[in-house]
Amino acid sequence: MQSAAPGQQAHHHFDDAERAAVYRNILARRDVRGQFLPDPVADDMLARILTAAHFAPSVGFMQPWSFVLVRDQAVKRRVHDAFTLANTEAAQMFEGKQREVYSGLRLQGILEAPINLCVTCDRDRAGPVVIGRTHIKAMDLYSSVCAVQNLWLAARAEGLGVGWVSIFRQSAIREILSLPERIMPVAYLCIGHVSHFLDQPELQSAGWRQRLPLEDLVHFDHWGGENEDAAALRQALQAAQQDASRGIPPR
């Protein structure tokens, strides 16, 4: 690729169709719970989404993730039992109408999804001192979550559904999957082909929460700060979010 001439801007952006596809993927991603099909996921497709996860950014290039692939129904049943116990406990933490709504939500597809995948973090992988983690020790965990997001978006591009199950005690997952002490379970994912993707996030459709206005979440120079550029950007944010709510990629 030729360098830009002095005074000219280098063009590193994707073309319009490629850019629209990236945004469409982000907007169409859903947390899948109840739409899994029993069809197996081909190894080449699984390899592609795992490769996408492995190419996630990581602080200090530590690449702290590993992937525990679960297809065995007996293991899935133990995980499901751990979920059921924790979900019963969780329901009691809500009151009134919220408890009623919570009890009607489908929050996992552990037994139905052909693949369960535990994304883990090896907190010792890069040694005791890591570039970028010298003062914020959780950066390895944050890096592992980047791998989850990469995998999720790659899976959506493949037409696969992904559901993140987080309602169980980490100690239970650690025991079921025989994780060493230094290995932290970060995300337990259900993966598979689906009958359909929902138009909206399930919790939004159920009335649990609505998407917050993005323009209310942006601050300028300091928390609560405003400046002369604020009004114009907030207007652009409103327009972009209105498009996104209709599944239209930003223009």
Side-chain angles (χ1 to χ4, degrees), residues 28-197:
R29 186 212 56 79
R30 294 288 179 266
D31 195 348
V32 175
R33 284 84 173 256
Q35 303 102 266
F36 287 109
L37 300 173
D39 307 11
V41 176
D43 283 346
D44 59 345
M45 187 177 291
L46 181 58
R48 288 195 294 271
I49 67 173
L50 287 172
T51 299
H54 188 49
F55 273 69
S58 62
V59 171
F61 203 44
M62 58 189 307
Q63 306 161 74
W65 44 72
S66 291
F67 307 95
V68 182
L69 184 65
V70 178
R71 287 191 173 111
D72 188 291
Q73 282 298 115
V75 178
K76 290 181 185 178
R77 279 193 291 271
R78 293 185 64 194
V79 174
H80 186 269
D81 289 344
F83 164 83
T84 300
L85 176 61
N87 194 48
T88 300
E89 296 170 346
Q92 301 309 308
M93 300 177 189
F94 301 99
E95 297 180 353
K97 181 65 174 179
Q98 273 200 321
R99 183 182 298 178
E100 180 182 340
V101 174
Y102 182 91
S103 298
L105 294 173
R106 175 68 183 270
L107 298 176
Q108 53 78 33
I110 297 167
L111 298 178
E112 295 80 10
I115 291 175
N116 289 191
L117 184 75
C118 186
V119 182
T120 68
C121 177
D122 184 343
R123 310 216 66 188
D124 296 333
R125 179 160 295 169
V129 182
V130 180
I131 294 174
R133 199 183 65 158
T134 53
H135 292 74
I136 304 178
K137 297 302 181 183
M139 294 307 298
D140 55 347
L141 296 170
Y142 302 158
S143 297
S144 297
V145 173
C146 289
V148 174
Q149 180 75 341
N150 265 24
L151 183 143
W152 212 330
L153 292 173
R156 182 61 186 87
E158 298 279 359
L160 295 174
V162 177
W164 187 333
V165 186
S166 59
I167 306 172
F168 27 52
R169 298 184 184 278
Q170 285 187 318
S171 58
I173 295 302
R174 186 185 299 279
E175 178 184 355
I176 293 168
L177 301 183
S178 302
L179 301 181
E181 185 61 32
R182 74 179 190 280
I183 303 299
M184 176 72 71
V186 172
Y188 194 91
L189 307 176
C190 303
I191 303 173
H193 296 282
V194 297
S195 58
H196 62 284
F197 288 96

Side-chain angles (χ1 to χ4, degrees), residues 190-210:
C190 303
I191 303 173
H193 296 282
V194 297
S195 58
H196 62 284
F197 288 96
L198 300 177
D199 292 334
Q200 291 185 327
E202 190 169 355
L203 293 183
Q204 182 175 348
S205 298
W208 188 262
R209 281 183 68 83
Q210 298 301 307

